[in-house]
Amino acid sequence: MKYEKLFAAGKIGRLELKNRIVLPAMGTSLAAASGEASDEMIAFYEERAAGGCGLIITEITRVDNETGVGTPNQLNASDLLFVPRLEKLARAVHRHDSKIFLQLQHPGRQNHGRLIGGKQIVAPSAVMSSAIGEMPRELSTEEVEELVRKFVFGAYIAKTAGIDGVEIHGAHGYLVGQFLSPLTNLRTDKYGGSLEGRMSFLNEIVLGIKKTCGAGFPVSVRIDGDEFVSGGITLDEAIQTAKHLESIGVDCINVSSGTYESSNTIIEPISYPQGWKKHLSAAIKQAVKIPVIACDVIRKPEFAESLLQEGNTDFVALGRAQLADPEWGNKAAAGKEAEIRTCISCLYCIQEVMECKVIKCAVNARVGRELEFAEPTKDGAGKVVAVIGGGPAGMEAARILALRDFKPVLFEARDVLGGSVELGSRPPLKEKLNWFIDNMQHQLEDLDVDVRLSTKPTLEQLKQLNPYAVFVAAGAQPIVPVIPGVKKAAVCTVVDVLSGSVVIKNKQAVVIGSGMTGLETAEYLADMGNQVTVVEMQPRVGPDAYLPNLIDIVTRLKKNGVELLASTKLVEVQDGAIVLENTSTGETSLKKTDAVVLSIGVTPDRSFVDELKQVLPNVKVIGDAGKPGRIGQAIQSGFETAFVLN
């Protein structure tokens, strides 16, 4: 087999696993409001078990309803009434020769009072998280002892339900990790002080589980190899913790990193390469004899195999990779790497969950909706459907239509597929977007879709096809404001710059608009040797950007000397300069520049739609042509519209 180590059997304690692929815990918000495992959650996990995953670790599971609510729709293991649905979950996973652990968690200070009925959040010590902004109260010794019992009871519920093991979440700045960290544990009782004292809470939980559930019941502990915050857990302390956990009977160490205050080291944005933190798991693996699971931004099978071959880890955690493609394991085992739809690290999944919505994936519209969209109905009967536009919405629509046995004809005006995604792949550190485009091209070729590049169809050409339906996915056009001088030669759009039709090098350039596209274009321009300024009307840069993505790119822009001006409006373009207005004070100023790049949004390109609707039946408008949005919205639009076409 090509991936010998990846598909070798493994063991955690006495538990045998069919391969080394692990689905690590990820919040889904798919549980019922009661906290039971819903049918939607069971379908989500079962699909990944069927897709070749050896071990599934559930999302954070609540053990305490008083102060330990992590998300509104969260899996719960605080009462025996949750056993039947957990048992159903276990059976669904076991049907596919996969195993399942329940991850037990308490958020501690990384929580909000609104989730626990307005009560004050709790922590080992009264140390506030700057990412949360709420001061926690210190737990009493008796309260800590009670929480130990609740963790142990959660494990008992898991075992009763036929779950194969549990994982204690001691990473990411949650309660167990807060006890371990010298930054957040300032206690003077038995649960504080030296590292030995700070480990007491976790120590008692592990020993309690082993006593209650038996020595043979597997216990994994997820720890931070590094918190990446000043004064927090370092790799040296993590190694000592791992050694101690091994000595008290822990069966596996799951190595991750970060807290909410260093969140980009937990769930990494697109700029982070595969394996950037592999040194953490490698160092811990060297120090212990029990198995190690590594969370190392693993996307490709060959990279997963290399980590195992190098001895960096014993098991590879593939979280977002198996959101993007639940068949990741089966495809890798079959040597069908080109068929894997690869995660592009856009953070759409976690953003949706953090906003109290169910989990979604930008490149896989079925995530969390496995029951709603099971298998596409093959009723197309060879009927022709014209798809205008080869961006994400158009490609996805063509793919689903082909799966339904329609005959899609995909028209793309440019000489490449990808649309705005292809343009978006051009700034620095955005090459992962090409993974998505490559996979879509492969799928369209495999499905024998008729793709016509460099072709903008006329109404007459479409009529000749006699289409059953027409999908318009022509994208959107950049907005150009009506201001003096906007038509001067120095003014262009981000599309002009990223497409290469306008080349700006070694000049002074101003980007108007600080959405992610504007900021990424600013980085692209800075990389071309330009002195760049970004102008934003709103009081802060990136007003609509997801904060982790914003922090990631703004950090780099500042290092590259890019000037960021908020509360500033472009009011006029002059020869060699622009006039700016401070939106707070109304004062104007003159700024010298050689180039002005507009990135103030887009408007749907519907120029062809009304004409089409007059002469052709069944015209559907999808993607940015309907409503501009992110890749996820475009994919969902193309997927759903094609899935239900009748």
Tab-separated table of all heavy atoms in Angstrom, residues 12-15 101 152-153 155-160 163-166 205-220 248-251:
chain	number	residue	atom	x	y	z
A	12	ILE	N	-4.590	2.075	21.130
A	12	ILE	CA	-4.587	3.028	22.240
A	12	ILE	C	-5.026	2.237	23.455
A	12	ILE	O	-6.188	1.808	23.542
A	12	ILE	CB	-5.525	4.220	21.974
A	12	ILE	CG1	-4.985	5.063	20.801
A	12	ILE	CG2	-5.664	5.086	23.221
A	12	ILE	CD1	-5.868	6.240	20.435
A	13	GLY	N	-4.082	2.017	24.349
A	13	GLY	CA	-4.357	1.082	25.441
A	13	GLY	C	-4.601	-0.288	24.849
A	13	GLY	O	-3.833	-0.779	24.021
A	14	ARG	N	-5.711	-0.906	25.233
A	14	ARG	CA	-6.065	-2.222	24.689
A	14	ARG	C	-6.963	-2.126	23.463
A	14	ARG	O	-7.341	-3.142	22.880
A	14	ARG	CB	-6.761	-3.039	25.773
A	14	ARG	CG	-5.919	-3.246	27.029
A	14	ARG	CD	-6.745	-3.914	28.124
A	14	ARG	NE	-6.056	-3.878	29.416
A	14	ARG	CZ	-6.605	-4.253	30.568
A	14	ARG	NH1	-7.860	-4.709	30.570
A	14	ARG	NH2	-5.924	-4.180	31.695
A	15	LEU	N	-7.314	-0.906	23.090
A	15	LEU	CA	-8.250	-0.702	21.984
A	15	LEU	C	-7.515	-0.746	20.649
A	15	LEU	O	-6.555	-0.006	20.423
A	15	LEU	CB	-8.949	0.657	22.136
A	15	LEU	CG	-10.007	0.992	21.081
A	15	LEU	CD1	-11.232	0.104	21.261
A	15	LEU	CD2	-10.400	2.467	21.181
A	101	PHE	N	-14.453	8.070	20.789
A	101	PHE	CA	-14.214	8.592	22.139
A	101	PHE	C	-15.138	9.785	22.362
A	101	PHE	O	-15.443	10.539	21.427
A	101	PHE	CB	-12.772	9.087	22.312
A	101	PHE	CG	-11.741	7.999	22.489
A	101	PHE	CD1	-12.039	6.660	22.345
A	101	PHE	CD2	-10.433	8.349	22.811
A	101	PHE	CE1	-11.088	5.674	22.515
A	101	PHE	CE2	-9.456	7.378	22.979
A	101	PHE	CZ	-9.780	6.034	22.826
A	152	VAL	N	-15.657	12.429	36.045
A	152	VAL	CA	-15.640	10.970	36.195
A	152	VAL	C	-16.995	10.380	35.816
A	152	VAL	O	-17.075	9.353	35.120
A	152	VAL	CB	-15.248	10.575	37.636
A	152	VAL	CG1	-15.396	9.067	37.840
A	152	VAL	CG2	-13.823	11.025	37.947
A	153	PHE	N	-18.071	11.050	36.239
A	153	PHE	CA	-19.407	10.567	35.910
A	153	PHE	C	-19.655	10.632	34.399
A	153	PHE	O	-20.293	9.749	33.812
A	153	PHE	CB	-20.463	11.373	36.661
A	153	PHE	CG	-21.861	10.831	36.525
A	153	PHE	CD1	-22.150	9.522	36.879
A	153	PHE	CD2	-22.887	11.621	36.041
A	153	PHE	CE1	-23.440	9.015	36.755
A	153	PHE	CE2	-24.178	11.125	35.913
A	153	PHE	CZ	-24.456	9.822	36.271
A	155	ALA	N	-17.434	10.151	32.125
A	155	ALA	CA	-16.763	8.973	31.562
A	155	ALA	C	-17.593	7.714	31.801
A	155	ALA	O	-17.674	6.839	30.925
A	155	ALA	CB	-15.375	8.830	32.178
A	156	TYR	N	-18.198	7.624	32.973
A	156	TYR	CA	-19.053	6.471	33.284
A	156	TYR	C	-20.232	6.400	32.315
A	156	TYR	O	-20.591	5.319	31.822
A	156	TYR	CB	-19.553	6.578	34.725
A	156	TYR	CG	-20.588	5.545	35.093
A	156	TYR	CD1	-20.229	4.226	35.365
A	156	TYR	CD2	-21.937	5.892	35.168
A	156	TYR	CE1	-21.183	3.275	35.696
A	156	TYR	CE2	-22.898	4.953	35.496
A	156	TYR	CZ	-22.520	3.644	35.757
A	156	TYR	OH	-23.478	2.713	36.075
A	157	ILE	N	-20.828	7.551	32.006
A	157	ILE	CA	-21.933	7.604	31.044
A	157	ILE	C	-21.455	7.123	29.677
A	157	ILE	O	-22.134	6.352	28.997
A	157	ILE	CB	-22.496	9.043	30.958
A	157	ILE	CG1	-23.282	9.361	32.237
A	157	ILE	CG2	-23.350	9.238	29.716
A	157	ILE	CD1	-23.692	10.800	32.374
A	158	ALA	N	-20.255	7.582	29.268
A	158	ALA	CA	-19.701	7.160	27.978
A	158	ALA	C	-19.534	5.646	27.914
A	158	ALA	O	-19.944	4.999	26.943
A	158	ALA	CB	-18.363	7.862	27.732
A	159	LYS	N	-18.953	5.081	28.947
A	159	LYS	CA	-18.734	3.632	28.954
A	159	LYS	C	-20.061	2.883	28.942
A	159	LYS	O	-20.220	1.881	28.225
A	159	LYS	CB	-17.903	3.225	30.168
A	159	LYS	CG	-17.561	1.734	30.152
A	159	LYS	CD	-16.743	1.298	31.345
A	159	LYS	CE	-16.416	-0.196	31.245
A	159	LYS	NZ	-15.718	-0.706	32.430
A	160	THR	N	-21.017	3.365	29.722
A	160	THR	CA	-22.335	2.733	29.773
A	160	THR	C	-22.993	2.719	28.395
A	160	THR	O	-23.678	1.755	28.028
A	160	THR	CB	-23.236	3.472	30.784
A	160	THR	OG1	-22.609	3.466	32.074
A	160	THR	CG2	-24.611	2.828	30.884
A	163	ILE	N	-19.507	3.713	24.311
A	163	ILE	CA	-18.433	4.536	23.736
A	163	ILE	C	-17.102	3.873	24.093
A	163	ILE	O	-16.934	3.330	25.186
A	163	ILE	CB	-18.506	5.978	24.290
A	163	ILE	CG1	-19.851	6.631	23.946
A	163	ILE	CG2	-17.337	6.808	23.788
A	163	ILE	CD1	-20.056	7.015	22.519
A	164	ASP	N	-16.125	3.908	23.195
A	164	ASP	CA	-14.894	3.134	23.357
A	164	ASP	C	-13.886	3.739	24.319
A	164	ASP	O	-12.976	3.037	24.791
A	164	ASP	CB	-14.220	2.961	21.994
A	164	ASP	CG	-15.120	2.233	21.017
A	164	ASP	OD1	-15.393	1.043	21.250
A	164	ASP	OD2	-15.559	2.856	20.036
A	165	GLY	N	-13.994	5.028	24.610
A	165	GLY	CA	-13.056	5.682	25.509
A	165	GLY	C	-13.437	7.142	25.663
A	165	GLY	O	-14.435	7.603	25.089
A	166	VAL	N	-12.650	7.867	26.437
A	166	VAL	CA	-12.904	9.299	26.612
A	166	VAL	C	-11.608	10.074	26.407
A	166	VAL	O	-10.512	9.534	26.531
A	166	VAL	CB	-13.476	9.639	28.008
A	166	VAL	CG1	-14.869	9.071	28.175
A	166	VAL	CG2	-12.555	9.184	29.125
A	205	ILE	N	-9.017	13.550	38.083
A	205	ILE	CA	-9.988	13.148	37.064
A	205	ILE	C	-9.575	11.813	36.440
A	205	ILE	O	-10.378	10.877	36.329
A	205	ILE	CB	-10.123	14.237	35.975
A	205	ILE	CG1	-10.784	15.500	36.547
A	205	ILE	CG2	-10.921	13.709	34.782
A	205	ILE	CD1	-10.747	16.694	35.614
A	206	VAL	N	-8.314	11.719	36.038
A	206	VAL	CA	-7.832	10.500	35.378
A	206	VAL	C	-7.930	9.303	36.314
A	206	VAL	O	-8.442	8.231	35.941
A	206	VAL	CB	-6.382	10.690	34.885
A	206	VAL	CG1	-5.797	9.360	34.404
A	206	VAL	CG2	-6.331	11.732	33.775
A	207	LEU	N	-7.441	9.454	37.541
A	207	LEU	CA	-7.464	8.343	38.493
A	207	LEU	C	-8.900	7.940	38.825
A	207	LEU	O	-9.204	6.753	38.989
A	207	LEU	CB	-6.699	8.712	39.756
A	207	LEU	CG	-5.182	8.901	39.584
A	207	LEU	CD1	-4.543	9.341	40.897
A	207	LEU	CD2	-4.522	7.628	39.067
A	208	GLY	N	-9.785	8.941	38.900
A	208	GLY	CA	-11.196	8.651	39.170
A	208	GLY	C	-11.836	7.862	38.046
A	208	GLY	O	-12.619	6.930	38.279
A	209	ILE	N	-11.513	8.219	36.800
A	209	ILE	CA	-12.062	7.495	35.647
A	209	ILE	C	-11.539	6.062	35.628
A	209	ILE	O	-12.293	5.104	35.406
A	209	ILE	CB	-11.712	8.225	34.334
A	209	ILE	CG1	-12.451	9.565	34.262
A	209	ILE	CG2	-12.055	7.360	33.121
A	209	ILE	CD1	-12.040	10.455	33.100
A	210	LYS	N	-10.249	5.897	35.874
A	210	LYS	CA	-9.665	4.554	35.855
A	210	LYS	C	-10.276	3.683	36.955
A	210	LYS	O	-10.530	2.491	36.742
A	210	LYS	CB	-8.141	4.648	36.021
A	210	LYS	CG	-7.409	5.185	34.799
A	210	LYS	CD	-7.513	4.228	33.617
A	210	LYS	CE	-6.755	4.686	32.407
A	210	LYS	NZ	-6.828	3.724	31.286
A	211	LYS	N	-10.530	4.284	38.096
A	211	LYS	CA	-11.127	3.526	39.196
A	211	LYS	C	-12.573	3.147	38.877
A	211	LYS	O	-13.011	2.021	39.157
A	211	LYS	CB	-11.076	4.346	40.483
A	211	LYS	CG	-11.664	3.623	41.685
A	211	LYS	CD	-11.561	4.486	42.947
A	211	LYS	CE	-12.166	3.769	44.156
A	211	LYS	NZ	-12.097	4.598	45.384
A	212	THR	N	-13.308	4.071	38.295
A	212	THR	CA	-14.730	3.857	38.039
A	212	THR	C	-14.977	2.994	36.807
A	212	THR	O	-15.859	2.123	36.806
A	212	THR	CB	-15.449	5.219	37.867
A	212	THR	OG1	-15.265	5.991	39.063
A	212	THR	CG2	-16.933	5.042	37.587
A	213	CYS	N	-14.213	3.251	35.749
A	213	CYS	CA	-14.464	2.584	34.466
A	213	CYS	C	-13.542	1.402	34.215
A	213	CYS	O	-13.747	0.654	33.250
A	213	CYS	CB	-14.321	3.598	33.325
A	213	CYS	SG	-15.499	4.962	33.411
A	214	GLY	N	-12.536	1.254	35.047
A	214	GLY	CA	-11.608	0.145	34.878
A	214	GLY	C	-10.341	0.564	34.162
A	214	GLY	O	-10.359	1.454	33.305
A	215	ALA	N	-9.253	-0.083	34.483
A	215	ALA	CA	-7.951	0.272	33.911
A	215	ALA	C	-7.918	0.078	32.406
A	215	ALA	O	-7.144	0.742	31.697
A	215	ALA	CB	-6.852	-0.568	34.566
A	216	GLY	N	-8.764	-0.812	31.881
A	216	GLY	CA	-8.754	-1.084	30.447
A	216	GLY	C	-9.567	-0.104	29.617
A	216	GLY	O	-9.537	-0.159	28.383
A	217	PHE	N	-10.291	0.807	30.266
A	217	PHE	CA	-11.093	1.798	29.541
A	217	PHE	C	-10.170	2.937	29.108
A	217	PHE	O	-9.604	3.632	29.948
A	217	PHE	CB	-12.221	2.324	30.422
A	217	PHE	CG	-13.176	3.249	29.720
A	217	PHE	CD1	-14.018	2.773	28.713
A	217	PHE	CD2	-13.255	4.591	30.064
A	217	PHE	CE1	-14.910	3.622	28.070
A	217	PHE	CE2	-14.140	5.444	29.431
A	217	PHE	CZ	-14.972	4.959	28.428
A	218	PRO	N	-9.980	3.156	27.794
A	218	PRO	CA	-8.974	4.117	27.332
A	218	PRO	C	-9.286	5.563	27.720
A	218	PRO	O	-10.430	6.012	27.619
A	218	PRO	CB	-9.001	3.955	25.813
A	218	PRO	CG	-9.629	2.635	25.569
A	218	PRO	CD	-10.607	2.441	26.680
A	219	VAL	N	-8.239	6.255	28.153
A	219	VAL	CA	-8.327	7.679	28.467
A	219	VAL	C	-7.242	8.408	27.684
A	219	VAL	O	-6.060	8.117	27.820
A	219	VAL	CB	-8.150	7.956	29.971
A	219	VAL	CG1	-8.145	9.462	30.239
A	219	VAL	CG2	-9.252	7.279	30.779
A	220	SER	N	-7.675	9.341	26.843
A	220	SER	CA	-6.757	10.240	26.143
A	220	SER	C	-6.842	11.607	26.814
A	220	SER	O	-7.892	11.976	27.353
A	220	SER	CB	-7.157	10.359	24.672
A	220	SER	OG	-6.445	11.395	24.029
A	248	ILE	N	0.436	7.767	35.405
A	248	ILE	CA	-0.786	7.473	36.161
A	248	ILE	C	-1.797	6.683	35.327
A	248	ILE	O	-2.942	6.512	35.739
A	248	ILE	CB	-1.440	8.754	36.725
A	248	ILE	CG1	-1.860	9.708	35.607
A	248	ILE	CG2	-0.496	9.445	37.711
A	248	ILE	CD1	-2.717	10.886	36.093
A	249	GLY	N	-1.373	6.231	34.148
A	249	GLY	CA	-2.233	5.331	33.389
A	249	GLY	C	-2.953	5.908	32.200
A	249	GLY	O	-3.777	5.218	31.576
A	250	VAL	N	-2.670	7.168	31.842
A	250	VAL	CA	-3.279	7.729	30.626
A	250	VAL	C	-2.791	6.927	29.425
A	250	VAL	O	-1.616	6.561	29.331
A	250	VAL	CB	-2.929	9.229	30.483
A	250	VAL	CG1	-3.219	9.734	29.077
A	250	VAL	CG2	-3.714	10.043	31.510
A	251	ASP	N	-3.695	6.667	28.483
A	251	ASP	CA	-3.392	5.769	27.367
A	251	ASP	C	-2.903	6.484	26.115
A	251	ASP	O	-2.361	5.847	25.208
A	251	ASP	CB	-4.638	4.962	27.012
A	251	ASP	CG	-5.119	4.132	28.189
A	251	ASP	OD1	-4.554	3.053	28.437
A	251	ASP	OD2	-6.063	4.587	28.877
